[in-house]
Amino acid sequence: MKFKVDENGFYGQFGGAYVPEILYKCVHDLQEAYLPIIESEDFKKEYRHLLRDYVGRPSPLYFAKRMSERYNCQLYLKREDLNHTGAHKINNTIGQILMAKKMGKTRIIAETGAGQHGVATATVCALMNMHCEIFMGATDVERQHTNVERMRMLGAQVHPVTTGNMTLSDACSQAIRDWCCHPADTFYIVGSTMGPHPYPDIVARMQSVISEEIKQQLLEKTGRDYPDCLVACIGGGSNAAGTIYHYVDDERVRIVLAEAGGHGIDTDYTAATIHCGTEGILHGSRTLVMQTDDGQIKEAFTISAGLDYPGIGPMHAHMALAHRTEVMAVNDDEAIRAGYELTRMEGIIPAIESAHAVAALSRLHFTPDQVVVLTVSGRGDKDVQTYLNNKDKAGEYGDF
Ligand SMILES: *Cc1c(COP(=O)(O)O)cnc(C)c1O
């Protein structure tokens, strides 16, 4: 249990709940309420039911034959891309909206970057007939217009945020400000394993269904319930947390995470927080943060809007520093190439976020009998234009 949250809300030296006075009661109430709710039969029943019939779980564990041959291993893909709304994010929003209902909240807010978490939140709000307001950086509102239209169509109000760099980090700050103004009736659905305790633990638990299913599916397919290696991409850390949750204390399992290197970790254009960050406090949590010497948050840069965050979930900061996880910085051009490769080798167009995980394979060495599970966190429909604009980086696959 040394990598799970402790009773004070910390993962080693990281985590905690650094919130303004006005939110103290709100956050404290949630800390008291979340475990009893998650462990109640009522919650479990409704959560399981919706994951199965609404989201479409269990998501398949697919043996990727051609990619296995290429990378000299037994490669299985955990297909979160096949979920309703196209990514793993919905596992978490379903859980949190049920929690909000149980706590008697009537108004939902959320932050979003690329818009995937915003869409997943607007979706469950439509489902549950709840009032929904989404904060999104004005830059992202322009870049991700289709997702903005989806959220509006689902009935959500989208607020463009015009402070700072007008991207994800600013949207988070604005959501926290809104929460400060409406602490009594509002539930903030956080989209990744970030924010003040208990959010990182809530989100990790909601996503842990991914590794719960991997265990069972591997047992059925290989006769053994653990892989030799797990691979996932990491932005704030939710799909990674879900992928590794039931294996973190199992030392037989190697864990490789791919963060977004952008143009490279030795440039100013990167989102590789674990490589480049230093200890600080961001959005209510002590963690690794990309910041200047005097503590100003630096803008994250990556081709992948979903990995565009200058912080990292505290559990991942802790695990990386303890060398439980191996974190690689994968650059934009490597991710693009890997996205094309998976498309042509297996007929699966991955989200560019997920393509970062695929790119990590080429840096790893396996033996043919080793079992590797890689989580495809989302589908690439939203990224087709970006892939096409970067066809020159597709190598042998760009000739069309
Ligand atoms: C949001 C997103 C991510 C990054 O978020 P995590 O919390 O690190 O999982 C990765 N992949 C997809 C498809 C996403 O939408």
Side-chain angles (χ1 to χ4, degrees), residues 83 87-94 116-117 120 191 207 238 306 377:
N83 292 339
H88 65 292
K89 297 247 165 50
I90 189 108
N91 303 326
N92 171 48
T93 58
I94 293 258
Q116 293 300 106
H117 176 58
Q207 295 293 357
S238 69
S377 53

Side-chain angles (χ1 to χ4, degrees), residues 80-81 85-89 112-117 168 191-194 203 207 232-242 258 304-308 312-313 316 350-355 375-380 382-383:
E80 294 302 301
D81 57 312
T85 69
H88 65 292
K89 297 247 165 50
T112 197
Q116 293 300 106
H117 176 58
L168 176 59
S192 189
T193 43
M194 46 158 286
V203 178
Q207 295 293 357
C233 67
I234 179 164
S238 69
N239 91 90
S304 160
L307 301 178
D308 205 355
I312 183 75
H316 292 293
I352 295 182
E353 291 84 359
S354 320
T375 297
V376 181
S377 53
R379 65 178 84 128
K382 66 184 176 61
D383 297 321

